[in-house]
Amino acid sequence: MPEQHNTPAIGWVPAWADLHGRSAEAVDAGFVVGGGTAEEPQGQEYVAGWAGGDAEELAAKAAGAGARLTLLCADAGNAGDLAPDGLARASERVLLMAPTAELNTGVQLPENSQVALAPMETYDAVEITVFDSPVARGRVQVRDDFAAVAITEVPEGPEKETFERGLFAAMAEEAFLHGAEYLHMVVEADAAGPYEASGWTVAGRLVGFGKS
């Protein structure tokens, strides 16, 4: 199997780790992600691009350490061929990307709405309020020109898309000011469809493996 250089494709991982209060250390052609918060505890996770010799080496390290393994690939079906002994396929998520210049556009929010950004320890919190009451929240972090975002709270109902777009516009502006050309977002596989219809592109599949 020819070796591929996958590190640029997963350069967003440290910024994504920041969103969840986790650390990310470069190792081989990927990252080892650890830590977490009391509300969201996480074990050690190895993240690599599929495929190639470096990815296989990282997979073996994950299996030896009893850690989780996450592979970023274009075709989720092929990633199963790389799982080493001791790990079984456990999850699938989707990596979405969108240009900051396209999301950084005016959004018509309801009257008496305000958008605010607040620096936290490992990310910037984005919040939309209506009549001073929070209705939507998200997180954005930019590291080394890679921006990662997450939606943490939006209301259900007809205004959900409007508030999401408001959060994304604020996140895109913040990322653009820090030199990031794209936003990266990880979502569950069954949640990607609506985002694809609103300007996001599927950049890869994140296939997770755990102890079998």
Side-chain angles (χ1 to χ4, degrees):
M1 171 187 319
E3 184 172 332
Q4 298 177 15
H5 299 283
N6 295 296
T7 301
I10 57 171
W12 51 272
V13 169
W16 169 76
D18 283 342
L19 296 181
H20 303 282
R22 305 177 68 188
S23 62
E25 180 181 350
V27 55
D28 296 328
F31 294 93
V32 57
V33 180
T37 64
E39 297 79 14
E40 193 178 9
Q42 301 283 340
Q44 198 173 56
E45 178 180 4
Y46 286 76
V47 183
W50 186 90
D54 288 336
E56 292 176 3
E57 183 176 345
L58 202 63
K61 285 184 178 181
R68 288 182 296 153
L69 170 69
T70 297
L71 300 177
L72 173 63
C73 53
D75 184 350
N78 289 339
D81 299 336
L82 190 55
D85 293 338
L87 293 179
R89 186 163 171 165
S91 64
E92 181 183 334
R93 292 167 291 174
V94 174
L95 173 66
L96 298 171
M97 288 179 61
T100 55
E102 293 184 14
L103 292 183
N104 183 16
T105 57
V107 179
Q108 191 64 41
L109 292 172
E111 292 186 10
N112 301 300
S113 298
Q114 290 187 325
V115 182
L117 276 78
M120 309 299 285
E121 185 175 352
T122 59
Y123 57 84
D124 287 345
V126 186
E127 182 179 81
I128 299 177
T129 60
V130 178
F131 292 109
D132 295 327
S133 295
V135 294
R137 291 187 173 98
R139 298 173 181 177
V140 58
Q141 180 59 298
V142 182
R143 188 193 282 203
D144 299 329
D145 298 334
F146 288 96
V149 302
I151 299 293
T152 57
E153 178 184 341
V154 286
E156 293 297 331
E159 293 185 326
K160 176 181 177 180
E161 182 178 351
T162 297
F163 285 124
E164 278 192 333
R165 289 180 58 210
L167 289 173
F168 288 139
M171 294 170 175
E173 181 176 5
E174 180 72 3
F176 182 81
L177 290 174
H178 286 82
E181 296 183 8
Y182 291 90
L183 297 184
H184 299 74
M185 182 168 62
V186 176
V187 300
E188 296 299 322
D190 59 0
Y195 293 112
E196 289 185 77
S198 62
W200 292 79
T201 300
V202 172
R205 303 275 174 174
L206 291 159
V207 183
F209 300 87
K211 190 173 181 179
S212 57

